[in-house]
Amino acid sequence: MAKMGDDAEFDYYLCVVPQTHIFAVDDHAGTSPKVSELLFGEGFWGREELFDDGTGSGWIIGFSAHDRYRGRIHQSAVHKQALTTSNRQHVSAVVTTKHTPLFTAPDLKSHVAKQLSLGSLIPTSWLAGPLHQQDKFLEIVLPQDARSLWLHRRHIEQSPIVETDIAASAMTLCGVPYIWGGRSDLGLDCSALVQFAFAKSGRMTPRDSDQQAETVGEQVANITVPIDTVPDGLHCGDLVFFPGHVGIMVDDVNLVHANATHMAVTVNPLREVIKTIDAEHGARITSVRRLSTA
């Protein structure tokens, strides 16, 4: 177990399902909307809670390893890891293709047991052998039942290429459905899209848009907020925030964002987004933030 900042003790878990909901800490029944997701191979620091929710699975309360997002997850979705030095750098590969199939045999015609989201992780401890010794298919052994599954090598990368254009990275998910609390290529929300785009550039961001508005980049000095018109001087990559919403500027006119208006990731003129959010919520732009080029 590891000591965390609040002096509570936590174990380290890895997600063993394609994705699982993260619920609010105080949602004991898991009946409220999910607040985030954990993807296959991602880590979670937590402790078991003895609480019967009727599903036959207990709860793990804690926080995700990649962004320290607090919540509770179903115990059946994760597997406890022995804490060693290697656990802290446990990733051998990253899934770089949407809806990646996990096969039941190293054969393209074999049954697909699961489909993994873009951004899923392949822990070193799950590999059947050294990565460089495996051929067309990568064999992984799931820790909960010692079952072998195979992943095609073309769907993963050991060291994903760092993408410097966060707007371009976000646009690769155009058409992916909007789902509140989602982080996968099956569906994601506005702040998860920003988090994904920044992760592609090698940067980590907080999970929620209000946290991102406080920590990512710097407020653009010549733009006074709140504002209900398109500001002058917007750049590609600027983050535009509304109450509870965020998007990334593609140029000085258009915004890429995961949104409930179109129920998908779309690119829209910022002036239309402003008009829609004002009509539906009476809200304005609250912040425009830009990454330092230094």
Side-chain angles (χ1 to χ4, degrees), residues 223-232 234 239-243 245-247 249 252-257 259 261-262 266-288:
I223 296 177
T224 302
V225 291
I227 185 173
D228 59 2
T229 59
V230 177
D232 293 329
L234 289 173
L239 299 182
V240 179
F241 292 90
F242 300 82
H245 191 60
V246 61
M249 293 304 297
D252 61 347
V253 174
N254 298 295
L255 186 80
V256 57
H257 60 144
N259 62 92
T261 301
H262 300 279
T266 58
V267 176
N268 304 105
L270 178 57
R271 60 179 174 76
E272 292 185 5
V273 177
I274 293 171
K275 182 178 179 181
T276 298
I277 291 179
D278 180 44
E280 294 181 356
H281 306 288
R284 300 179 177 185
I285 294 173
T286 55
S287 182
V288 179

Side-chain angles (χ1 to χ4, degrees), residues 81-226:
Q81 292 289 112
L83 185 61
T84 65
T85 302
S86 64
N87 284 144
R88 300 181 185 278
Q89 296 178 335
H90 70 276
V91 178
S92 282
V94 179
V95 173
T96 54
T97 304
K98 298 175 186 175
H99 315 312
T100 295
L102 269 178
F103 297 99
T104 55
D107 184 340
L108 293 176
K109 297 180 181 179
S110 64
H111 177 67
V112 175
K114 304 174 187 286
Q115 285 189 297
L116 303 184
S117 171
L118 178 72
S120 297
L121 306 179
I122 309 301
T124 302
S125 59
W126 296 359
L127 295 180
L131 191 62
H132 68 276
Q133 293 180 6
Q134 302 202 46
D135 193 18
K136 184 182 294 185
F137 287 90
L138 178 69
E139 182 182 0
I140 62 174
V141 181
L142 298 182
Q144 71 272 31
D145 55 12
R147 178 170 53 136
S148 286
L149 295 174
W150 282 263
L151 187 69
H152 201 282
R153 290 291 297 266
R154 290 190 179 276
H155 291 163
I156 62 170
E157 291 182 10
Q158 287 183 264
S159 301
I161 297 172
V162 174
E163 304 289 351
T164 58
D165 187 340
I166 61 170
S169 294
M171 286 191 290
T172 65
L173 295 184
C174 279
V176 170
Y178 173 86
I179 294 181
W180 175 273
R183 287 184 58 243
S184 78
D185 55 32
L186 293 177
L188 76 173
D189 60 24
C190 63
S191 55
L193 179 66
V194 170
Q195 194 177 55
F196 165 82
F198 273 78
K200 291 278 285 183
S201 72
R203 298 181 174 98
M204 286 306 302
T205 70
R207 175 64 179 90
D208 290 341
S209 61
D210 59 341
Q211 299 168 328
Q212 293 169 354
E214 295 175 354
T215 60
V216 179
E218 297 179 353
Q219 174 68 31
V220 178
N222 63 341
I223 296 177
T224 302
V225 291

Side-chain angles (χ1 to χ4, degrees), residues 64-84:
S64 52
H66 63 280
D67 61 7
R68 300 183 68 83
Y69 199 78
R70 293 188 174 273
R72 64 172 62 233
I73 59 177
H74 282 295
Q75 189 175 25
S76 59
V78 293
H79 188 269
K80 187 187 295 186
Q81 292 289 112
L83 185 61
T84 65

